[in-house]
Amino acid sequence: MTDTAAPASIFPAINYASPGNGTATLPDASDELLAALMVQGLRSLANSIAGDRAAHTVSVSLDMTGAAFLGGEVAIQTEVDRQTRTLAFMNGSLSCGGKVLLKATAIFRLADKA
C-alpha cells in the first residue's frame, strides 16, 4: 500500500475545517469509496502532525456499521489517541446525518523524508 492520494477524477473533494476533520458531498457511494474517504482523512491528520517528516501508513482497520448510505454530506472526524517519536495512533469516524457509517483506527509511522 502506498501513501499517495487517489486520482481526483474518482475521489470527491474533502473540505477540511481542520486537518483530518472535514466534509464531502456524494450523490451515493460504495463502501470502498467511503473507506477511502476515511483513510484520506486519517492521512490528512497524520501528515499535519508529521510536520517536516513523512507519515507512512502502517495499519488501518475499518469497521462498517451496516447503516445504508443514500447520498448526502458525510462528515469525517479524526483524532490522535497517542503519539510517540516515531508512531501516531489514531481513530476516526465517518457519518451522515448524525448516523455513523464507519469507524477506523490507524497507525502511521513518522519518519524523515528520504
Side-chain angles (χ1 to χ4, degrees):
M1 181 176 187
T2 61
D3 282 331
T4 58
S9 61
I10 63 168
F11 204 78
I14 300 174
N15 301 309
Y16 288 103
S18 62
N21 298 295
T23 60
T25 302
L26 309 165
D28 60 9
S30 65
D31 289 344
E32 294 83 3
L33 182 56
L34 294 175
L37 281 170
M38 183 75 257
V39 172
Q40 188 63 24
L42 291 162
R43 180 173 291 115
S44 168
L45 180 57
N47 285 334
S48 75
I49 64 172
D52 61 350
R53 298 183 295 166
H56 301 284
T57 308
V58 173
S59 173
V60 176
S61 176
L62 298 165
D63 295 312
M64 302 291 185
T65 63
F69 176 68
L70 303 174
E73 183 177 83
V74 295
I76 302 161
Q77 298 178 317
T78 65
E79 64 184 12
V80 176
D81 291 323
R82 186 168 59 99
Q83 182 180 343
T84 68
R85 188 177 58 79
T86 59
L87 295 173
F89 299 85
M90 302 165 29
N91 75 76
S93 65
L94 184 142
S95 59
C96 180
K99 200 183 296 186
V100 175
L101 302 174
L102 67 91
K103 293 184 176 189
T105 58
I107 303 170
F108 284 85
R109 182 172 56 86
L110 309 175
D112 292 333
K113 292 183 179 179

